[in-house]
Amino acid sequence: MSYQPVRFYQTGTFTVGNRLLDEDDRSVQALPVRANSLTSGHRACQGCGEALGARYAIDAAVAATDRQVIAANATGCLEVFSTPYPQTSWQIPWIHSLFGNTAAVATGIAAALRIKGRSQVRVVAQGGDGGTTDIGFGCLSGMFERNDDVLYICYDNEAYMNTGVQRSSATPPAARTATTLPVGPEPGNVFGQGKNVPAIAMAHGIPYVATATVADLHDLEYKVKKAIGIRGAKYLHIFVPCPLGWGSASHDTIKLARLVKECGLFPVFEAEHGEVTGVAKIRKPIPVEDYLRPQRRYAHLFGKSPATETIAKIQAQADRNIRKFGLLADQGARP
Amino acid sequence: MSTVQHKPFAITLKVGSSLANKTGSWRTFRPVYLDRMPPCNHQCPAGENIQAWLFHAEEGNYEQAWRQIMADNPFPAIMGRVCYHTCESACNRGQVDQAVGINAVERFLGDQALKYGWAIEPGKPTGKKVLVVGAGPAGLSAAYHLARLGHAVTVHEASPKAGGMIRYGIPKYRMPREKLNAEIQRIQAMGVEIRLNTPVTDLRQTLEAGGFDACFLAVGLQQGQQVNIPQTGGLPVLDAISVLRAVELEEPVALHGHVVVNGGGNTAIDVARSAIRLGALSVTVVVRRGRDYMPAHPSEIREGLEEGMRLLNLRQITAIQDRTLTLEVMVPVEGGHIIRSGQTETIEADVLVQAFGQTGDFAALDQYPGLVIADGAVQVGPDLMTGAPGVLAGGDMIPWARNATAAIGLGKKAARHLDAWLRGERYQPRPKAEVADIGKLNTWYYSDAPRTVRPLLDVVRRTSGFAEVVGNLDEGNALFEARRCMSCGNCFECDNCYGVCPDNAVIKLGPGKRFRFNYDYCKGCGICAAECPCGAIKMVPEEI
């Protein structure tokens, strides 16, 4: 059973808080005493989705464990903007080692805690899509395969932004990247291919895999809380828009995260031991174009002679997700 | 060098929190909180702060909600019934699903107040005496607001009962008299004296004799108008205002047999629906123009038709011969105009009632120095002051919007100007905030919720008597309806800004205290403004 939103009381659980709901139904982010694990003064760009996603996720983990959280962080924007020596924005025990070894570092921390008998302390590993789907992929797969007691969180902004917007294996088809020349006819992944890490994580049969976006805070917090309570390997893939790399307005960060889910391009679901157990339904269906247009990385698809064929291929991708996961309200769960 | 020695191996700089890095310096736009004008408030002729009272009602705090209404309008139980609620046409929610049932919630709150006997205290006495002429909605509203400001108010009313056209022009099935009486009594309980059967025949004499410092005139327009139709034979022809007045005073009125009403306004429909209740054989309303161009409210027309009223649109009565009315068929042309066709038909009638507006009788004011009466109305300035100092006028007798809600608003306006004038000052209304139109809202966040419809009395019950037609919401669905409000332009503490800021630059001040920006760290990304559901945050350029 997936997260069940409250649909009434003015804004229900669509907003961060709601004075008409019981406090238990409000989000961690609505609390005046939230941890602010990633505090102010960090150097993320205006409107950074990753900064937002990281605070959402880690605050939820902190709240769920009564502050008993240690995080290992891969190289990437999150590490660079949060901890430029000699300052740090982290208000939890936090370690950065290398780009590719985060899952292994977290595994080590978990092993040490087990040996010391401090199993109440929970371990999170986190990184961007580059550190997860490319460089750290081997260590991640090993962590899954050994079922190490770590929650791995990938903040996916679909490219290496820290190196000047460079293609990663999570860059979607037709999305322009600044410092990588297209290999085939279009930039980004080859249509119909790519590296779907949530699916790969599920293929390992680990206890829990989920996706989320920064546009649905209640769903995200529910998944972090659920994952952190499970012993063994967990994987959470959070969609975080990047105004700089995507060429979108800084105030559109949450809007884009909302649209990517509503158009079906990014299915929001959870899975246990390799089986999908819940999906977040689309509330107001839209065509992919509504999501693509506000982003300059897709500008070449529009303009005077729109690339209708490419747009149709992206739409087909969304339609496939909608079919596969049963994302429309009147569709049953996935067969 | 000594400080370096205390640092751990390979650490050369003093480590610390990023809070030392004030990222507010990046900003080119700054978010600011503001209260925009909700479209409902902007539209309300009585100047109610609808969004504010719905805010309290959403929490189930009905008394606080009622007190918020009472700040502007002393008659929620009356207005919740007879107001034509143009606020609901302006409601932004109408563009999302359906408008909020503001009128229904207002009525619910008004009835709660009567049920629990909630009262309003008069203000600290100022020692000033004010005369109000006319106990209609404008006069009583002014009296109420003046009493709240501490002035001693005496109301002179010519009729045997107070209420003006709300009593003498609106039938009981729309406005139950016990509610009307109770809301008037509440004003009397504040110390306002209402003298019934006391027409003012000489204003100057009344002012001097009573020792009044100022005066508000709100005598209304009491006489019905008729159009002249060539007539032979003795068919009774009445005017609608006299008919409704007679019905209220329970005087015999000849509304039996085949009743024909001439006119397309609310008064015409009121007469028709009253005739049905008084046992007329048939009731026909003749209207020159098409149904879409009738001034009567669509809900009144619909309910009348349900009760058996016959509507003859595009007909004009051209002659009366004994019991036969000759109707000429009118033809609609472009732009809503009509032209005569020359074709005629006839219908039978036992009585004809004409409903063509009202005129006033201002004989008592004629000789008062400075008062200007022109085009059948008393002329006033923007502060409602007539040409005579300290004499203000409002309601139907001035040539502004003429309806009960507008009259209540004018009464409040008059009270504020009078109060300032009595202190030798001028009342300065606050500048109006910009309107929170639908484009300023992020409607994604509002739950989908259909509108609660008030139950209607079934047709058989309502045509056989003067019972109230429109039922009330109960506590459950009144709360439901209030919570459909989107709080346009005014923070309702959803915590979105607090949650969505990537820089933790929003400070939550606690329940009822809203939020504050921490400009030390706000980078000006604008997510808070974009994700504010109700449009209570604005991005303004930073002065650099």
Side-chain angles (χ1 to χ4, degrees):
Chain A
M1 203 56 177
S2 190
Y3 175 71
Q4 295 300 306
V6 175
R7 297 200 180 276
F8 200 53
Y9 299 102
Q10 199 162 38
T11 54
T13 48
F14 293 116
T15 42
V16 170
N18 183 340
R19 71 189 210 285
L20 304 176
L21 292 181
D22 290 340
E23 293 212 5
D24 291 349
D25 287 328
R26 305 181 202 173
S27 68
V28 170
Q29 290 300 313
L31 299 174
V33 294
R34 73 181 188 212
N36 280 341
S37 311
L38 181 68
T39 196
S40 308
H42 62 70
R43 286 151 166 84
C45 306
Q46 289 174 321
C48 175
E50 187 172 34
L52 196 55
R55 191 188 76 223
Y56 282 178
I58 303 301
D59 277 4
V62 165
T65 60
D66 194 19
R67 306 191 81 89
Q68 302 299 299
V69 177
I70 296 176
N73 210 128
T75 306
C77 276
L78 181 61
E79 169 263 320
V80 170
F81 74 62
S82 69
T83 313
Y85 176 72
Q87 291 172 352
T88 184
S89 305
W90 292 102
Q91 312 208 76
I92 56 160
W94 179 92
I95 182 172
H96 165 239
S97 172
L98 298 173
F99 213 144
N101 67 352
T102 317
V105 170
T107 294
I109 297 169
L113 290 167
R114 191 178 66 244
I115 300 294
K116 296 182 80 172
R118 298 186 63 192
S119 56
Q120 84 282 8
V121 181
R122 312 300 291 144
V123 182
V124 172
Q126 56 182 354
D129 51 290
T132 305
T133 73
D134 294 348
I135 301 175
F137 188 67
C139 291
L140 179 65
S141 178
M143 184 202 108
F144 288 161
E145 172 269 321
R146 294 185 303 271
N147 199 28
D148 294 324
D149 190 12
V150 174
L151 166 59
Y152 192 102
I153 303 174
C154 170
Y155 304 103
D156 179 9
N157 59 18
E158 304 190 325
Y160 295 84
M161 301 310 182
N162 195 34
T163 55
V165 193
Q166 184 185 349
R167 182 193 188 280
S168 80
S169 58
T171 302
R176 179 213 69 130
T177 42
T179 57
T180 316
L181 290 174
V183 180
E186 297 276 1
N189 284 163
V190 175
F191 268 101
Q193 297 179 31
K195 200 190 272 187
N196 183 341
V197 175
I200 296 169
M202 282 168 67
H204 287 76
I206 58 173
Y208 190 69
V209 175
T211 63
T213 78
V214 285
D216 192 346
L217 173 62
H218 288 262
D219 174 75
L220 189 157
E221 289 187 348
Y222 156 85
K223 285 167 177 169
V224 171
K225 187 178 177 186
K226 182 167 176 177
I228 206 91
I230 296 172
R231 296 279 160 184
K234 292 86 60 177
Y235 180 73
L236 180 59
H237 192 97
I238 303 177
F239 187 88
V240 292
C242 170
L244 176 80
W246 298 7
S248 56
S250 62
H251 59 251
D252 277 346
T253 294
I254 289 182
K255 177 178 142 182
L256 288 174
R258 186 158 59 231
L259 296 182
V260 78
K261 179 231 163 193
E262 291 299 287
C263 75
L265 269 183
F266 185 82
V268 176
F269 67 92
E270 56 181 343
E272 291 173 36
H273 301 291
E275 298 289 335
V276 173
T277 53
V279 299
K281 297 283 187 183
I282 289 172
R283 186 173 168 220
K284 295 180 176 169
I286 50 159
V288 291
E289 197 177 325
D290 291 6
Y291 163 70
L292 303 174
R293 264 190 189 277
Q295 307 177 47
R296 275 205 311 281
R297 64 175 173 158
Y298 292 113
H300 60 283
L301 302 182
F302 300 101
K304 276 185 187 149
S305 49
T308 44
E309 221 171 285
T310 309
I311 298 168
K313 278 196 240 170
I314 299 175
Q315 182 65 55
Q317 216 181 343
D319 293 344
R320 183 164 172 270
N321 284 335
I322 291 171
R323 238 184 1 259
K324 184 174 164 193
F325 288 92
L327 296 178
L328 293 179
D330 52 2
Q331 282 175 303
R334 200 173 75 130
Chain B
M1 287 302 285
S2 59
T3 52
V4 173
Q5 286 171 354
H6 296 294
K7 291 186 167 60
F9 172 72
I11 300 293
T12 53
L13 297 172
K14 188 167 177 259
V15 296
S17 166
S18 65
L19 290 171
N21 183 31
K22 302 286 173 69
T23 52
S25 62
W26 302 13
R27 197 172 56 237
T28 54
F29 279 79
R30 72 162 52 201
V32 289
Y33 290 107
L34 76 167
D35 286 328
R36 289 189 167 110
M37 170 76 79
C40 50
N41 295 9
H42 187 60
Q43 176 61 39
C44 180
E48 284 186 21
N49 192 344
I50 297 164
Q51 174 276 330
W53 61 253
L54 282 171
F55 179 88
H56 296 301
E58 285 152 24
E59 295 174 341
N61 193 345
Y62 300 130
E63 182 169 349
Q64 194 60 36
W66 177 79
R67 291 193 181 279
Q68 180 69 53
I69 299 179
M70 293 298 285
D72 296 296
N73 184 342
F75 299 126
I78 297 173
M79 281 296 111
R81 292 176 163 81
V82 304
C83 179
Y84 286 113
H85 47 76
T86 49
C87 51
E88 295 185 18
S89 314
C91 176
N92 278 333
R93 181 120 206 171
Q95 294 175 58
V96 176
D97 41 33
Q98 283 171 290
V100 176
I102 298 167
N103 187 246
V105 180
E106 180 173 32
R107 170 174 162 177
F108 170 80
L109 294 171
D111 287 1
Q112 288 285 107
L114 297 178
K115 187 170 160 189
Y116 294 108
W118 298 333
I120 299 287
E121 293 298 313
K124 212 171 111 235
T126 59
K128 301 284 186 187
K129 286 184 73 177
V130 182
L131 171 70
V132 172
V133 186
L140 291 174
S141 165
Y144 163 79
H145 285 287
L146 287 165
R148 284 183 68 210
L149 293 163
H151 305 300
V153 187
T154 307
V155 185
H156 284 212
E157 168 58 47
S159 297
K161 288 176 182 170
M165 290 308 290
I166 293 177
R167 181 185 299 278
Y168 292 107
I170 300 177
K172 286 175 190 157
Y173 59 86
R174 278 174 58 200
M175 185 63 248
R177 296 308 185 234
E178 69 275 14
K179 308 285 183 192
L180 173 62
N181 296 338
E183 292 213 314
I184 294 172
Q185 272 157 19
R186 197 167 55 212
I187 294 176
Q188 289 173 293
M190 293 168 70
V192 171
E193 186 193 349
I194 302 177
R195 293 190 190 161
L196 301 170
N197 299 308
T198 311
V200 172
T201 47
D202 181 340
L203 180 61
R204 186 211 295 260
Q205 197 267 328
T206 309
L207 285 173
E208 280 173 9
F212 293 107
D213 298 292
C215 161
F216 177 59
L217 303 172
V219 300
L221 302 171
Q222 315 85 355
Q223 291 164 350
Q225 276 182 309
Q226 304 216 15
V227 290
N228 282 326
I229 302 168
Q231 180 174 10
T232 57
L235 181 78
V237 180
L238 311 171
D239 78 83
I241 299 302
S242 308
V243 167
L244 291 174
R245 189 179 176 87
V247 171
E248 170 60 20
L249 294 172
E250 293 179 0
E251 290 167 359
V253 54
L255 286 185
H256 29 63
H258 300 286
V259 177
V260 177
V261 184
N262 193 13
N266 287 312
T267 307
I269 307 296
D270 284 341
V271 170
R273 296 177 67 189
S274 294
I276 292 169
R277 285 165 174 76
L278 290 168
L281 275 181
S282 76
V283 177
T284 308
V285 179
V286 180
V287 186
R288 286 181 70 221
R289 295 163 46 112
R291 184 166 165 185
D292 291 346
Y293 292 94
M294 285 171 66
H297 200 271
S299 67
E300 302 282 339
I301 300 173
R302 191 184 59 243
E303 287 168 18
L305 290 171
E306 284 166 8
E307 291 163 12
M309 171 185 98
R310 188 160 69 118
L311 189 57
L312 280 183
N313 283 107
L314 296 165
R315 300 286 186 281
Q316 181 171 354
I317 304 175
T318 51
I320 308 168
Q321 197 168 23
D322 297 322
R323 291 185 58 249
T324 306
L325 304 181
T326 306
L327 310 182
E328 180 170 1
V329 178
M330 309 301 285
V331 181
V333 292
E334 240 172 287
H337 297 291
I338 45 170
I339 51 168
R340 310 174 71 137
S341 70
Q343 262 187 312
T344 60
E345 57 192 42
T346 59
I347 57 169
E348 273 190 17
D350 293 305
V351 57
L352 174 66
V353 183
Q354 302 229 56
F356 282 100
Q358 291 149 255
T359 55
D361 173 9
F362 307 126
L365 313 173
D366 228 4
Q367 299 307 314
Y368 197 85
L371 266 179
V372 180
I373 298 165
D375 303 325
V378 172
Q379 303 298 310
V380 292
D383 56 356
L384 298 178
M385 190 83 82
T386 64
V391 178
L392 279 70
D396 283 355
M397 70 187 289
I398 67 166
W400 294 17
R402 283 174 171 147
N403 61 62
T405 320
I408 289 168
L410 290 172
K412 176 177 74 170
K413 188 181 170 87
R416 287 177 176 173
H417 283 289
L418 261 177
D419 175 63
W421 185 84
L422 285 168
R423 284 183 280 107
E425 293 167 14
R426 277 188 74 80
Y427 173 68
Q428 290 294 346
R430 273 183 307 167
K432 287 208 187 331
E434 64 179 87
V435 175
D437 54 61
I438 190 85
K440 305 235 170 20
L441 272 57
N442 187 338
T443 57
W444 164 265
Y445 289 103
Y446 297 101
S447 304
D448 316 290
R451 175 176 165 159
T452 316
V453 178
R454 279 183 279 186
L456 289 185
L457 263 187
D458 57 83
V459 174
V460 179
R461 267 177 62 210
R462 69 196 200 200
T463 52
S464 57
F466 278 84
E468 186 168 22
V469 170
V470 182
N472 211 345
L473 300 177
D474 62 30
E475 191 159 331
N477 50 23
L479 190 64
F480 180 98
E481 193 58 48
R483 286 173 171 181
R484 296 184 61 245
C485 173
M486 304 197 292
S487 194
C488 305
N490 290 261
C491 175
F492 59 104
E493 300 188 8
C494 72
D495 294 325
N496 253 20
C497 52
Y498 178 61
V500 301
C501 177
D503 297 288
N504 313 333
V506 177
I507 299 163
K508 181 170 173 165
L509 300 174
K513 296 181 188 148
R514 300 186 173 180
F515 307 87
R516 189 159 60 76
F517 287 111
N518 184 346
Y519 293 115
D520 278 352
Y521 299 107
C522 167
K523 293 170 184 164
C525 69
I527 295 181
C528 54
E531 301 303 323
C532 174
C534 69
I537 301 174
K538 187 178 187 173
M539 299 301 292
V540 297
E542 198 66 69
E543 282 174 28
I544 302 165

